[in-house]
Amino acid sequence: MKQNLSAAVWLLLSLGLLTQVKANPYVIWSNGPAKSWERTAYPLGNGNLGCMIFGDPAKEKVQFNEDSLWVGGESDTGCYQNFGTIHFDLPHSKYSSYRRELDISRAVQTITYSSGGVSYKRECFASNPGKVMVFRYTADKAKSLSGKVYIEDAHKGSIKAEGNRIIVTGDLADWQVYDRKGRKRTWDNPTVLDYEAQLLVMNEGGSLQADGKAITFKDCDSLTFLVSADTNYINQREKGWKTEHPHKNITANLDRAAKQDYTELLTEHIEDYQSLFNRMSIDLGSSSDQILAQTTGKRLGAYQDGSSDPDLEELLYQHARDLMISCSRPGTLPANLQGMWNQENGPPWRCDYHSDVNLQMNYWFVDQANLSECYKPLAEWFYAGREVRREHTLEHFGKRGIAMLAENGIFGGSTWKWSIGDASWLTNNLYSHYRYTLDKDILRDRVYPLLKDCFMFWEDHLIEIPAPSGKGTVLVGPNGYSPEHGPHQDGVSFDQQLCWDLLTNFAEASEVLGVDASERTKALAMREQLLGPQIGSWGQLQEWMVDRDDPEDDHRHLSHMIAVHPGRQISPLTSPEFAEAAKVSMHARGYGGTGWSRAWKISIWARLYEAEKSYKMIRNLMSSRTLYSNLFAAHPPFQIDGNFGYAGGVNEMLLQSHMDYIDIIPALPAAWPEGEVAGMRARGDAEVDLKWSGGTLVSVTVKAGDQYQALPLVYKGKRVMPNLKSGQTKTVSVAEFR
């Protein structure tokens, strides 16, 4: 495949030992410094630490975050915080030959330019194994690096520069948070966290001088800046959400990294990152050399004007994988509304865990994109807040189990509005993760307890009413709400469809684990009596039990489509009448919307086998309103769910496995007549390679994992059973489908 350069080649490139190789297709680049944090700066992250780099030769800014820097508590969502900004002042007045790039195949940013007859280079990365961010400054002439470095703390803590180290420390007690409209946010019983950041400067040649707040460097040949930061947060309620002060661990991280050669740090980072990134490759066609030679911003502008650029579509897909690896690793918190990158202390929607679509959308694509480890933070976060949510649910509803409000923080606290189906929606994410991996440990220890909590809630919450048809009775959720749209009514489709998925998943999981047989029987009986999807007067799939949908309504939320995606209640092959009604509703909702809404529409249309409509939504998502030149998706403003939702949509166009068979290129558009994918995952612990030409499948290769359970392969309604055992691989040609 054209993108599938070996790890060895990438490593040689990164170390400067190989220069003659085909152009790297995974570079986002610009010929000038960033002027906007949101639109043009480039991100880096190692799971819990992240930064946005601007790349100014004279006044460099690196705004940074640590994923647990939150204010709030168990009674309120609180708010994710900006940690601060690292400033690098270097006296370059004029410069030329400037290039700033993010190589997502290595998660390394490189900035090069010339000034005063000297060529300068900056290389930056965030190392997961090293637990540090690394900034390497070099020049091709000795003694060319002079200036100073200092940290601006967003919470006005203590700053001390001594020797070659800057330490910033403080706590979030009494910290006042204001939203974008200047309104003060307060909450009861906050959990007050301690925080610390350290920056270590290592120079080759020249000298360093600390003045209490900054470190000045003079006549240096090269400089390496190491940064680590953390809080005393721990995701354990029984410990009050806090552990020991982070100073000891941060110091150890920097001291350990300082003992390594820069090349060793870089090599360790690349090998770790590529152990995830290189598992999967995707080829959707070739862009012209003229287009590939342009900056990313110009390429995006040309694409928005109608040009074809399949390599840009591939880049956006792989960028989603890069962002997920960068902000959601085992041991960290899950990706929030902006992943982990946030420049404000009163950010939009608190930069929280929004559970009425956004948090779920962040993780739809992860398993299929062969990044299953990145799912663990979501399971751990949801499980950690379990007891708080059980208490809130009992207090508000007088019922067992878990329901949720739509805004959520890291201490179990939630705010804004009860969105009753949200908890079940999250368990659907987690159970889907199990169906990909077939990992019974995570099913037993994390997923099933949450499934059972949600089952108990619905068991207590559902009410029996006369069926709308006038025959018999049905079970409905009372006083429900269709986010973020319309009135509260009984039997809204959002509740009904999520309850159907929950009861299905709970019953399956209890059988897999061999537990709760009587509850399983009850769940299946409840599902049979549950009010199902309804078709309204203009042929639409109803959003409410009452036929009140407006054909002129183009609201961004698509809550009555959950049965199509990400659920499995409606499919063109199993329920064609309802699938047609879903198409009617989707057409009425239009082809615009916010970034994440457009992304969701890609997946829904793909599940309905409408390839051209899915591709139309890709083009619309990549518009100037909802995708910026740094390839951040926007609500607007920036929300990372659009990036992750896009990748999920591409997945659904190329491979589907939610209906217990592996559906091959079910929504392939005319714009991608030639292509191939390697390393894409399917449910049943399978890895799939695909190749097609002239819009027709050529072959599919299935590799069975350790827990493999065989699913039929389906292509255009024809089936093949691969008949594999764990660890085996088999290639099936298109001629074998019957």
Short mmCIF file of all heavy atoms in Angstrom, two decimals, residues 10 28 203 287 292 390 443 464 480 496 593 665 672 701:
data_model
loop_
_atom_site.label_atom_id
_atom_site.label_comp_id
_atom_site.label_asym_id
_atom_site.label_seq_id
_atom_site.Cartn_x
_atom_site.Cartn_y
_atom_site.Cartn_z
N TRP A 10 10.50 4.72 8.79
CA TRP A 10 10.12 5.92 9.54
C TRP A 10 11.17 6.26 10.60
O TRP A 10 11.49 7.42 10.84
CB TRP A 10 8.76 5.72 10.22
CG TRP A 10 7.61 5.72 9.29
CD1 TRP A 10 6.65 4.75 9.17
CD2 TRP A 10 7.25 6.73 8.33
NE1 TRP A 10 5.75 5.09 8.19
CE2 TRP A 10 6.09 6.29 7.67
CE3 TRP A 10 7.81 7.95 7.96
CZ2 TRP A 10 5.48 7.04 6.68
CZ3 TRP A 10 7.19 8.69 6.96
CH2 TRP A 10 6.04 8.22 6.34
N ILE A 28 0.90 17.17 8.19
CA ILE A 28 0.10 18.40 8.19
C ILE A 28 1.11 19.54 8.29
O ILE A 28 1.93 19.56 9.22
CB ILE A 28 -0.87 18.42 9.38
CG1 ILE A 28 -1.80 17.20 9.34
CG2 ILE A 28 -1.69 19.70 9.40
CD1 ILE A 28 -2.60 16.99 10.62
N ASN A 203 21.61 22.06 28.05
CA ASN A 203 22.29 22.78 26.98
C ASN A 203 23.57 22.09 26.57
O ASN A 203 24.24 21.43 27.37
CB ASN A 203 22.60 24.21 27.42
CG ASN A 203 23.54 24.26 28.62
OD1 ASN A 203 23.24 23.66 29.66
ND2 ASN A 203 24.64 24.99 28.49
N SER A 287 -4.04 11.48 -4.91
CA SER A 287 -4.21 12.88 -5.27
C SER A 287 -3.10 13.30 -6.23
O SER A 287 -2.05 12.67 -6.30
CB SER A 287 -4.17 13.75 -4.01
OG SER A 287 -5.14 13.33 -3.08
N LEU A 292 -0.63 17.66 -3.77
CA LEU A 292 0.20 17.19 -2.67
C LEU A 292 1.30 18.18 -2.32
O LEU A 292 1.81 18.17 -1.19
CB LEU A 292 0.80 15.83 -3.02
CG LEU A 292 -0.19 14.67 -3.11
CD1 LEU A 292 0.52 13.42 -3.62
CD2 LEU A 292 -0.84 14.40 -1.77
N ARG A 390 -25.15 6.30 41.10
CA ARG A 390 -26.20 5.51 41.74
C ARG A 390 -26.90 6.32 42.82
O ARG A 390 -28.14 6.30 42.94
CB ARG A 390 -25.60 4.23 42.33
CG ARG A 390 -25.26 3.17 41.30
CD ARG A 390 -24.34 2.10 41.88
NE ARG A 390 -24.99 1.35 42.95
CZ ARG A 390 -25.51 0.14 42.81
NH1 ARG A 390 -25.45 -0.46 41.63
NH2 ARG A 390 -26.05 -0.48 43.82
N LEU A 443 -15.26 -7.43 30.37
CA LEU A 443 -16.71 -7.61 30.41
C LEU A 443 -17.17 -7.85 31.85
O LEU A 443 -18.11 -7.22 32.33
CB LEU A 443 -17.13 -8.78 29.53
CG LEU A 443 -18.63 -9.09 29.50
CD1 LEU A 443 -19.42 -7.95 28.86
CD2 LEU A 443 -18.90 -10.40 28.76
N GLU A 464 -46.11 0.80 32.06
CA GLU A 464 -46.96 0.10 31.10
C GLU A 464 -48.12 1.00 30.73
O GLU A 464 -48.83 1.52 31.60
CB GLU A 464 -47.46 -1.21 31.71
CG GLU A 464 -48.17 -2.13 30.72
CD GLU A 464 -48.45 -3.50 31.32
OE1 GLU A 464 -48.23 -3.67 32.54
OE2 GLU A 464 -48.88 -4.40 30.58
N GLY A 480 -39.72 11.36 29.04
CA GLY A 480 -38.41 11.33 28.43
C GLY A 480 -38.10 12.59 27.65
O GLY A 480 -38.94 13.48 27.47
N GLN A 496 -36.47 4.70 24.12
CA GLN A 496 -36.92 3.36 23.71
C GLN A 496 -35.81 2.59 23.00
O GLN A 496 -35.60 1.41 23.25
CB GLN A 496 -38.15 3.48 22.80
CG GLN A 496 -39.35 4.19 23.41
CD GLN A 496 -39.84 3.52 24.69
OE1 GLN A 496 -39.90 4.13 25.75
NE2 GLN A 496 -40.18 2.24 24.60
N GLY A 593 -25.47 21.08 9.32
CA GLY A 593 -25.36 20.83 10.75
C GLY A 593 -24.00 21.20 11.30
O GLY A 593 -23.12 21.69 10.59
N ILE A 665 -17.28 -3.51 2.30
CA ILE A 665 -17.51 -2.25 1.57
C ILE A 665 -19.00 -2.02 1.29
O ILE A 665 -19.42 -1.90 0.14
CB ILE A 665 -16.65 -2.15 0.30
CG1 ILE A 665 -16.74 -3.37 -0.60
CG2 ILE A 665 -15.21 -1.86 0.65
CD1 ILE A 665 -15.99 -3.19 -1.95
N TRP A 672 -14.23 6.69 -4.57
CA TRP A 672 -13.15 5.80 -4.13
C TRP A 672 -13.17 4.51 -4.96
O TRP A 672 -13.35 3.42 -4.42
CB TRP A 672 -13.29 5.46 -2.66
CG TRP A 672 -13.26 6.63 -1.72
CD1 TRP A 672 -12.75 7.86 -1.93
CD2 TRP A 672 -13.77 6.64 -0.37
NE1 TRP A 672 -12.90 8.66 -0.81
CE2 TRP A 672 -13.52 7.93 0.15
CE3 TRP A 672 -14.39 5.68 0.43
CZ2 TRP A 672 -13.90 8.29 1.45
CZ3 TRP A 672 -14.76 6.04 1.73
CH2 TRP A 672 -14.51 7.33 2.23
N THR A 701 -9.05 -10.43 3.34
CA THR A 701 -8.24 -11.32 4.15
C THR A 701 -8.64 -11.17 5.61
O THR A 701 -8.73 -10.04 6.11
CB THR A 701 -6.75 -11.01 4.00
OG1 THR A 701 -6.38 -11.17 2.63
CG2 THR A 701 -5.89 -11.93 4.86
#
